[in-house]
Amino acid sequence: QVQLVESGGASVQTGGSLRLSCVVNGEVHKAQCMAWFRQVEGKDREMVARIYRPTDTTYYTDSVQGRFSISQDVAKNTLYLQMNSLKPEDTGMYYCAAVPARCAWDEYTSDREYTYWGQGTQVTVSS
């Protein structure tokens, strides 16, 4: 099993920055493809960034391209999401997710494809 624990969510003003963290515990080798999703109440979860950990290959949804950066610290088994120039529309519950698969450019963009999930961390951006 894989356990994911997110942290770092907070309330910030428009234009601010936050860094979310996701610690991976358990069978770390199964967390090959990892992503950050966000969910606004009443809407489906949306993938914002994804990384294929063995090669550090990243993918971003258009709305966060150039503002968000997904990265990992292999030694700490930790995934990060650096969020800059935050906007009110970035508000939501952010979830870390993982699946034991190789994720290519247009793959693993749906939350239904991920096996392991964290509990989420809330990000609120006020104008």
Short mmCIF file of all heavy atoms in Angstrom, two decimals, residues 64-104:
data_model
loop_
_atom_site.label_atom_id
_atom_site.label_comp_id
_atom_site.label_asym_id
_atom_site.label_seq_id
_atom_site.Cartn_x
_atom_site.Cartn_y
_atom_site.Cartn_z
N VAL A 64 -2.57 26.53 -15.36
CA VAL A 64 -1.52 26.75 -14.37
C VAL A 64 -0.14 26.79 -15.00
O VAL A 64 0.86 27.05 -14.30
CB VAL A 64 -1.55 25.66 -13.27
CG1 VAL A 64 -2.94 25.56 -12.65
CG2 VAL A 64 -1.07 24.32 -13.78
N GLN A 65 -0.06 26.55 -16.31
CA GLN A 65 1.23 26.55 -16.99
C GLN A 65 1.95 27.87 -16.77
O GLN A 65 1.38 28.95 -16.94
CB GLN A 65 1.01 26.33 -18.50
CG GLN A 65 2.28 26.23 -19.31
CD GLN A 65 2.98 24.90 -19.14
OE1 GLN A 65 2.34 23.86 -19.09
NE2 GLN A 65 4.29 24.94 -19.05
N GLY A 66 3.21 27.79 -16.35
CA GLY A 66 4.00 28.99 -16.11
C GLY A 66 3.85 29.56 -14.71
O GLY A 66 4.62 30.43 -14.30
N ARG A 67 2.85 29.11 -13.96
CA ARG A 67 2.64 29.60 -12.59
C ARG A 67 2.92 28.52 -11.55
O ARG A 67 3.39 28.81 -10.45
CB ARG A 67 1.21 30.10 -12.41
CG ARG A 67 0.82 31.24 -13.33
CD ARG A 67 -0.55 31.81 -12.95
NE ARG A 67 -1.61 30.83 -13.08
CZ ARG A 67 -2.41 30.45 -12.07
NH1 ARG A 67 -2.25 30.97 -10.87
NH2 ARG A 67 -3.37 29.57 -12.27
N PHE A 68 2.61 27.29 -11.86
CA PHE A 68 2.80 26.16 -10.94
C PHE A 68 3.97 25.32 -11.39
O PHE A 68 4.26 25.21 -12.60
CB PHE A 68 1.55 25.28 -10.90
CG PHE A 68 0.35 25.88 -10.23
CD1 PHE A 68 0.28 27.24 -9.92
CD2 PHE A 68 -0.73 25.08 -9.88
CE1 PHE A 68 -0.84 27.79 -9.30
CE2 PHE A 68 -1.85 25.61 -9.26
CZ PHE A 68 -1.90 26.96 -8.98
N SER A 69 4.62 24.69 -10.41
CA SER A 69 5.73 23.80 -10.72
C SER A 69 5.66 22.58 -9.83
O SER A 69 5.63 22.71 -8.59
CB SER A 69 7.05 24.53 -10.52
OG SER A 69 8.14 23.66 -10.76
N ILE A 70 5.65 21.41 -10.44
CA ILE A 70 5.64 20.15 -9.69
C ILE A 70 7.06 19.61 -9.64
O ILE A 70 7.79 19.66 -10.64
CB ILE A 70 4.66 19.13 -10.32
CG1 ILE A 70 4.49 17.91 -9.43
CG2 ILE A 70 5.08 18.75 -11.73
CD1 ILE A 70 3.37 16.97 -9.89
N SER A 71 7.45 19.12 -8.47
CA SER A 71 8.81 18.61 -8.33
C SER A 71 8.83 17.54 -7.24
O SER A 71 7.83 17.33 -6.55
CB SER A 71 9.79 19.73 -7.99
OG SER A 71 9.46 20.32 -6.75
N GLN A 72 9.96 16.89 -7.10
CA GLN A 72 10.07 15.84 -6.09
C GLN A 72 11.43 15.90 -5.42
O GLN A 72 12.41 16.37 -6.00
CB GLN A 72 9.88 14.46 -6.74
CG GLN A 72 10.92 14.12 -7.80
CD GLN A 72 10.82 12.69 -8.28
OE1 GLN A 72 10.43 11.78 -7.56
NE2 GLN A 72 11.19 12.47 -9.56
N ASP A 73 11.47 15.44 -4.19
CA ASP A 73 12.70 15.21 -3.46
C ASP A 73 12.76 13.71 -3.22
O ASP A 73 12.05 13.20 -2.35
CB ASP A 73 12.72 16.00 -2.15
CG ASP A 73 14.05 15.88 -1.42
OD1 ASP A 73 14.68 14.80 -1.49
OD2 ASP A 73 14.45 16.86 -0.77
N VAL A 74 13.58 13.03 -4.00
CA VAL A 74 13.61 11.57 -3.95
C VAL A 74 14.06 11.07 -2.57
O VAL A 74 13.50 10.13 -2.03
CB VAL A 74 14.54 11.02 -5.05
CG1 VAL A 74 14.68 9.50 -4.93
CG2 VAL A 74 14.01 11.39 -6.42
N ALA A 75 15.04 11.75 -2.00
CA ALA A 75 15.58 11.32 -0.71
C ALA A 75 14.53 11.41 0.40
O ALA A 75 14.53 10.63 1.34
CB ALA A 75 16.79 12.16 -0.35
N LYS A 76 13.63 12.37 0.27
CA LYS A 76 12.60 12.58 1.29
C LYS A 76 11.28 11.94 0.92
O LYS A 76 10.30 12.06 1.66
CB LYS A 76 12.39 14.07 1.53
CG LYS A 76 13.59 14.79 2.10
CD LYS A 76 13.27 16.27 2.34
CE LYS A 76 14.47 16.98 2.96
NZ LYS A 76 14.20 18.42 3.18
N ASN A 77 11.22 11.29 -0.25
CA ASN A 77 9.95 10.69 -0.74
C ASN A 77 8.83 11.72 -0.67
O ASN A 77 7.72 11.42 -0.18
CB ASN A 77 9.58 9.46 0.08
CG ASN A 77 10.50 8.29 -0.20
OD1 ASN A 77 10.98 8.11 -1.32
ND2 ASN A 77 10.77 7.49 0.81
N THR A 78 9.11 12.89 -1.16
CA THR A 78 8.15 13.99 -1.06
C THR A 78 7.93 14.63 -2.42
O THR A 78 8.87 14.88 -3.17
CB THR A 78 8.63 15.05 -0.05
OG1 THR A 78 8.80 14.44 1.23
CG2 THR A 78 7.62 16.18 0.07
N LEU A 79 6.67 14.89 -2.70
CA LEU A 79 6.24 15.58 -3.92
C LEU A 79 5.86 16.99 -3.53
O LEU A 79 5.27 17.21 -2.46
CB LEU A 79 5.05 14.86 -4.52
CG LEU A 79 4.48 15.40 -5.83
CD1 LEU A 79 5.43 15.07 -6.98
CD2 LEU A 79 3.10 14.83 -6.11
N TYR A 80 6.17 17.95 -4.39
CA TYR A 80 5.85 19.35 -4.12
C TYR A 80 5.01 19.94 -5.25
O TYR A 80 5.06 19.49 -6.39
CB TYR A 80 7.11 20.18 -3.97
CG TYR A 80 8.03 19.73 -2.86
CD1 TYR A 80 9.19 19.01 -3.13
CD2 TYR A 80 7.73 20.04 -1.53
CE1 TYR A 80 10.03 18.59 -2.12
CE2 TYR A 80 8.57 19.63 -0.51
CZ TYR A 80 9.71 18.90 -0.80
OH TYR A 80 10.53 18.48 0.21
N LEU A 81 4.27 20.98 -4.90
CA LEU A 81 3.62 21.80 -5.90
C LEU A 81 3.86 23.25 -5.49
O LEU A 81 3.27 23.74 -4.52
CB LEU A 81 2.12 21.52 -6.00
CG LEU A 81 1.40 22.30 -7.10
CD1 LEU A 81 1.88 21.82 -8.48
CD2 LEU A 81 -0.12 22.15 -6.99
N GLN A 82 4.74 23.91 -6.21
CA GLN A 82 4.99 25.33 -5.99
C GLN A 82 3.98 26.12 -6.80
O GLN A 82 3.89 25.95 -8.03
CB GLN A 82 6.41 25.69 -6.42
CG GLN A 82 6.75 27.15 -6.27
CD GLN A 82 6.78 27.60 -4.82
OE1 GLN A 82 7.32 26.93 -3.96
NE2 GLN A 82 6.20 28.77 -4.55
N MET A 83 3.22 26.95 -6.13
CA MET A 83 2.17 27.72 -6.79
C MET A 83 2.47 29.20 -6.63
O MET A 83 2.51 29.71 -5.51
CB MET A 83 0.81 27.37 -6.17
CG MET A 83 0.49 25.88 -6.17
SD MET A 83 -1.18 25.51 -5.62
CE MET A 83 -1.06 26.01 -3.92
N ASN A 84 2.68 29.87 -7.75
CA ASN A 84 2.96 31.30 -7.76
C ASN A 84 1.86 32.05 -8.49
O ASN A 84 1.07 31.45 -9.22
CB ASN A 84 4.31 31.56 -8.45
CG ASN A 84 5.46 30.88 -7.75
OD1 ASN A 84 5.49 30.78 -6.53
ND2 ASN A 84 6.43 30.42 -8.52
N SER A 85 1.83 33.35 -8.29
CA SER A 85 0.84 34.21 -8.95
C SER A 85 -0.56 33.63 -8.81
O SER A 85 -1.32 33.51 -9.79
CB SER A 85 1.19 34.37 -10.43
OG SER A 85 2.48 34.92 -10.59
N LEU A 86 -0.91 33.31 -7.59
CA LEU A 86 -2.19 32.64 -7.34
C LEU A 86 -3.37 33.56 -7.66
O LEU A 86 -3.31 34.78 -7.46
CB LEU A 86 -2.26 32.17 -5.90
CG LEU A 86 -1.46 30.89 -5.63
CD1 LEU A 86 -1.21 30.70 -4.14
CD2 LEU A 86 -2.19 29.67 -6.19
N LYS A 87 -4.42 32.92 -8.16
CA LYS A 87 -5.65 33.62 -8.54
C LYS A 87 -6.82 33.04 -7.74
O LYS A 87 -6.75 31.89 -7.29
CB LYS A 87 -5.91 33.42 -10.03
CG LYS A 87 -4.77 33.83 -10.94
CD LYS A 87 -5.08 33.49 -12.38
CE LYS A 87 -3.94 33.87 -13.31
NZ LYS A 87 -4.24 33.53 -14.73
N PRO A 88 -7.90 33.78 -7.61
CA PRO A 88 -9.07 33.25 -6.90
C PRO A 88 -9.57 31.93 -7.48
O PRO A 88 -10.04 31.06 -6.74
CB PRO A 88 -10.10 34.36 -7.05
CG PRO A 88 -9.29 35.61 -7.14
CD PRO A 88 -8.07 35.21 -7.94
N GLU A 89 -9.43 31.77 -8.79
CA GLU A 89 -9.89 30.52 -9.42
C GLU A 89 -9.00 29.32 -9.10
O GLU A 89 -9.33 28.19 -9.47
CB GLU A 89 -10.02 30.68 -10.93
CG GLU A 89 -8.80 31.25 -11.62
CD GLU A 89 -8.91 32.75 -11.84
OE1 GLU A 89 -9.35 33.47 -10.90
OE2 GLU A 89 -8.52 33.21 -12.94
N ASP A 90 -7.89 29.55 -8.42
CA ASP A 90 -7.05 28.44 -7.95
C ASP A 90 -7.56 27.87 -6.63
O ASP A 90 -7.05 26.86 -6.14
CB ASP A 90 -5.60 28.89 -7.76
CG ASP A 90 -4.94 29.28 -9.06
OD1 ASP A 90 -5.14 28.58 -10.07
OD2 ASP A 90 -4.21 30.29 -9.06
N THR A 91 -8.54 28.50 -6.05
CA THR A 91 -9.11 28.04 -4.79
C THR A 91 -9.67 26.64 -4.93
O THR A 91 -10.33 26.32 -5.94
CB THR A 91 -10.22 29.00 -4.32
OG1 THR A 91 -9.62 30.26 -3.99
CG2 THR A 91 -10.95 28.47 -3.10
N GLY A 92 -9.44 25.81 -3.93
CA GLY A 92 -9.98 24.46 -3.94
C GLY A 92 -9.26 23.57 -2.97
O GLY A 92 -8.28 23.98 -2.33
N MET A 93 -9.74 22.33 -2.88
CA MET A 93 -9.06 21.32 -2.10
C MET A 93 -8.07 20.64 -3.04
O MET A 93 -8.45 20.19 -4.13
CB MET A 93 -10.05 20.30 -1.56
CG MET A 93 -9.43 19.25 -0.66
SD MET A 93 -8.88 19.94 0.92
CE MET A 93 -10.46 20.03 1.77
N TYR A 94 -6.83 20.61 -2.62
CA TYR A 94 -5.77 20.02 -3.44
C TYR A 94 -5.43 18.64 -2.91
O TYR A 94 -5.16 18.47 -1.71
CB TYR A 94 -4.55 20.93 -3.46
CG TYR A 94 -4.71 22.10 -4.39
CD1 TYR A 94 -5.58 23.14 -4.08
CD2 TYR A 94 -3.99 22.17 -5.58
CE1 TYR A 94 -5.75 24.22 -4.95
CE2 TYR A 94 -4.14 23.24 -6.45
CZ TYR A 94 -5.02 24.26 -6.13
OH TYR A 94 -5.19 25.32 -6.99
N TYR A 95 -5.42 17.69 -3.84
CA TYR A 95 -5.14 16.30 -3.49
C TYR A 95 -3.90 15.82 -4.23
O TYR A 95 -3.70 16.13 -5.40
CB TYR A 95 -6.30 15.39 -3.90
CG TYR A 95 -7.59 15.65 -3.18
CD1 TYR A 95 -8.54 16.52 -3.70
CD2 TYR A 95 -7.88 15.01 -1.98
CE1 TYR A 95 -9.74 16.75 -3.05
CE2 TYR A 95 -9.07 15.24 -1.32
CZ TYR A 95 -10.00 16.11 -1.86
OH TYR A 95 -11.19 16.33 -1.20
N CYS A 96 -3.13 15.01 -3.54
CA CYS A 96 -2.01 14.31 -4.12
C CYS A 96 -2.49 12.90 -4.48
O CYS A 96 -3.24 12.29 -3.70
CB CYS A 96 -0.90 14.26 -3.06
SG CYS A 96 0.51 13.28 -3.46
N ALA A 97 -2.10 12.41 -5.64
CA ALA A 97 -2.53 11.09 -6.09
C ALA A 97 -1.37 10.35 -6.74
O ALA A 97 -0.45 10.98 -7.26
CB ALA A 97 -3.69 11.22 -7.08
N ALA A 98 -1.46 9.02 -6.73
CA ALA A 98 -0.39 8.20 -7.30
C ALA A 98 -0.95 6.94 -7.93
O ALA A 98 -2.02 6.44 -7.53
CB ALA A 98 0.63 7.84 -6.22
N VAL A 99 -0.24 6.43 -8.90
CA VAL A 99 -0.61 5.19 -9.56
C VAL A 99 0.68 4.50 -10.01
O VAL A 99 1.60 5.17 -10.47
CB VAL A 99 -1.57 5.45 -10.74
CG1 VAL A 99 -0.93 6.31 -11.81
CG2 VAL A 99 -2.04 4.13 -11.35
N PRO A 100 0.74 3.15 -9.88
CA PRO A 100 1.94 2.43 -10.31
C PRO A 100 1.95 2.22 -11.82
O PRO A 100 1.75 1.11 -12.31
CB PRO A 100 1.85 1.11 -9.55
CG PRO A 100 0.39 0.89 -9.36
CD PRO A 100 -0.21 2.27 -9.18
N ALA A 101 2.17 3.28 -12.56
CA ALA A 101 2.14 3.21 -14.01
C ALA A 101 3.06 4.27 -14.60
O ALA A 101 3.41 5.23 -13.93
CB ALA A 101 0.71 3.41 -14.51
N ARG A 102 3.39 4.04 -15.88
CA ARG A 102 4.18 5.03 -16.60
C ARG A 102 3.20 6.01 -17.24
O ARG A 102 2.33 5.60 -18.00
CB ARG A 102 5.04 4.36 -17.66
CG ARG A 102 5.85 5.33 -18.48
CD ARG A 102 6.78 4.60 -19.41
NE ARG A 102 7.59 5.53 -20.18
CZ ARG A 102 8.61 5.17 -20.95
NH1 ARG A 102 8.94 3.90 -21.04
NH2 ARG A 102 9.29 6.07 -21.61
N CYS A 103 3.34 7.27 -16.94
CA CYS A 103 2.41 8.26 -17.48
C CYS A 103 3.10 9.08 -18.56
O CYS A 103 4.05 9.80 -18.30
CB CYS A 103 1.81 9.14 -16.39
SG CYS A 103 2.93 9.70 -15.11
N ALA A 104 2.61 8.95 -19.74
CA ALA A 104 3.11 9.70 -20.88
C ALA A 104 2.35 11.01 -21.00
O ALA A 104 1.52 11.35 -20.16
CB ALA A 104 2.98 8.87 -22.15
#
